[in-house]
Amino acid sequence: MTVAAEGADDTPGGPTEADWAAAVAAIRRLPADARVLLICHVNPDGDALGSMLGFGLGLRRLGLRRLQATFPGPPEVPEPFRWLPGLDLLVPQDAAYPDPDLLICFDASSESRLGDLADRLGSAGAALVLDHHPSNTGFGGIHLVDPHAAATSVVAAELLDRLGVPLDAEIAACFYVALSTDTGSFRFEATTPAVHELAARLLATGLRPGEISQRIFDTRPFGAVRLFGEALGRARLEPGAAGGRGLVWTYATLDDLARYDQPPHVLDALIDPVRCTAEADVSCVVKQAAVGEWSVSLRSRGAVDVSRVAVALGGGGHRLAAGFTGRGSLAEVVDRIRAELDGAVLAA
Ligand code: AMP
Ligand code: MN
Ligand code: MN
């Protein structure tokens, strides 16, 4: 079965003027001592951290004093992002305000991506959601969800503009990391003229893009380089999968990470060499998160809507980049992906 290609007609629209006004009012009404909790999705990537920390710095410029930022799970920031401005806003999730006056969520498509922090949606005075996933479930109170935005930081930058907060070099560094991560260094389909216009504004604050790219894309420990070699060496190509469009996949276990003495986040970049495979439209990396639990990354070169596969298996994402958490054995998880792929092939 094929499904219709995503077009202007079936992608939900972005925030309305009323949504923007509600978000601006929710922030403007806060006294300087209001408790504001910023949260982003589990296993935060450049967009989750960059949009959250950049926006947090913007709120600080507005005079808000009681700001916390956090994410579910262990409070470790992946090494490539350990230089970001605004890291001083971070607290471990256990230390986060239990009932903040305002909760702001970044880059999370559903409550499940917020782990134990999802309870704040009920306890906060108000909950504002900034996101760009077409699969966003509509959780939270005030929605700034723009499925046409290349990154959540695009939404965050517009909200800071509407609040009258100027972009300084620190905020810009955070947003630039977010924007370059989610556009794959301005290579992906979402790289519109507006993306380059925002990038130009960010760079004009004095950022050094070469240095930033080297830190976030082109630096990894030698152990990770060798682990990638092993995982790439056992990649499988299945030309008949996805209605003949082809699937390429590989995996990495906790044991692999232990043997090469690497933290899990180094595997976030493993999908990039895998998705180069010319003979497969769909690529997949299955990363063990715990015994019987796998974090799955899916990419398409254009012929398959991998967000359909991810949503069907309990996750989410975008048409060409999506993911989910799989349970059971590696073989079971890959079997479920194969089964969903045939129904996710887009009409030519
Ligand atoms: P990744 O493969 O982790 O880089 O993620 C690709 C896209 O899929 C991103 O937009 C993620 O937000 C989304 N995604 C990844 N894992 C999940 C999940 N378990 N649930 C929902 N969305 C996910
Ligand atoms: Mn993300
Ligand atoms: Mn994002």
Side-chain angles (χ1 to χ4, degrees):
M1 197 193 81
T2 56
V3 296
E6 188 177 54
D9 25 324
D10 66 352
T11 306
T16 62
E17 279 304 316
D19 295 326
W20 288 113
V24 167
I27 291 169
R28 285 227 173 278
R29 81 164 74 96
L30 295 172
D33 64 350
R35 292 156 307 148
V36 182
L37 179 62
L38 299 94
I39 63 179
C40 68
H41 67 71
V42 67
N43 302 325
D45 52 23
D47 189 29
L49 284 170
S51 60
M52 175 172 76
L53 296 178
F55 195 79
L57 290 171
L59 293 181
R60 188 180 270 169
R61 311 281 186 262
L62 277 178
L64 290 162
R65 292 193 302 264
R66 298 170 76 190
L67 298 165
Q68 290 184 335
T70 193
F71 49 83
E76 276 104 56
V77 172
E79 167 63 29
F81 306 124
R82 280 195 202 146
W83 57 276
L84 280 176
L87 288 178
D88 59 301
L89 293 166
L90 285 176
V91 298
Q93 66 165 341
D94 295 340
Y97 298 128
D99 54 352
D101 299 300
L102 178 64
L103 177 74
I104 314 182
C105 305
F106 295 85
D107 203 39
S109 55
S110 65
E111 290 175 60
S112 64
R113 300 281 283 159
L114 301 172
D116 291 340
L117 290 163
D119 66 358
R120 304 306 197 282
L121 290 163
S123 61
L128 172 55
V129 172
L130 276 67
D131 187 33
H132 69 125
H133 292 92
S135 62
N136 187 287
T137 58
F139 71 96
I142 304 168
H143 303 117
L144 295 181
V145 179
D146 185 354
H148 295 288
T152 295
S153 61
V154 173
V155 180
E158 172 148 9
L159 185 53
L160 286 189
D161 285 345
R162 286 173 180 255
L163 286 162
V165 179
L167 287 176
D168 61 28
E170 291 196 324
I171 297 173
C174 292
F175 287 171
Y176 188 82
V177 165
L179 197 56
S180 52
T181 304
D182 268 26
T183 59
S185 293
F186 308 97
R187 285 174 299 167
F188 299 159
E189 206 59 42
T191 312
T192 58
V195 165
H196 280 291
E197 280 160 20
L198 176 57
R201 284 179 63 203
L202 300 174
L203 289 175
T205 65
L207 303 185
R208 300 178 64 93
E211 232 169 66
I212 293 177
S213 303
Q214 190 177 62
R215 278 176 170 162
I216 64 174
F217 299 119
D218 297 335
T219 304
R220 67 181 60 109
F222 186 55
V225 172
R226 295 185 61 237
L227 168 54
F228 276 32
E230 184 172 329
L232 291 172
R234 64 187 174 219
R236 310 263 180 88
L237 178 65
E238 302 183 15
R245 269 63 169 192
L247 166 70
V248 58
W249 66 275
T250 191
Y251 66 94
T253 63
L254 291 176
D255 182 58
D256 295 323
L257 288 170
R259 263 184 299 111
Y260 289 96
D261 193 23
Q262 294 302 311
H265 74 77
V266 302
L267 297 173
D268 292 351
L270 178 58
I271 190 70
D272 289 318
V274 178
R275 70 182 169 78
C276 293
T277 306
E279 295 86 345
D281 184 81
V282 178
S283 52
C284 170
V285 173
V286 186
K287 297 163 277 193
Q288 191 177 26
V291 175
E293 187 181 318
W294 305 84
S295 169
V296 181
S297 288
L298 292 164
R299 300 289 185 273
S300 164
R301 296 170 68 87
V304 173
D305 181 352
V306 288
S307 78
R308 287 194 167 237
V309 177
V311 168
L313 298 174
H318 311 273
R319 188 166 54 93
L320 304 181
F324 68 97
T325 300
R327 297 189 203 276
S329 70
L330 174 66
E332 286 166 341
V333 171
V334 178
D335 271 345
R336 269 177 237 137
I337 295 167
R338 283 191 201 96
E340 292 297 333
L341 276 174
D342 288 333
V345 178
L346 292 160

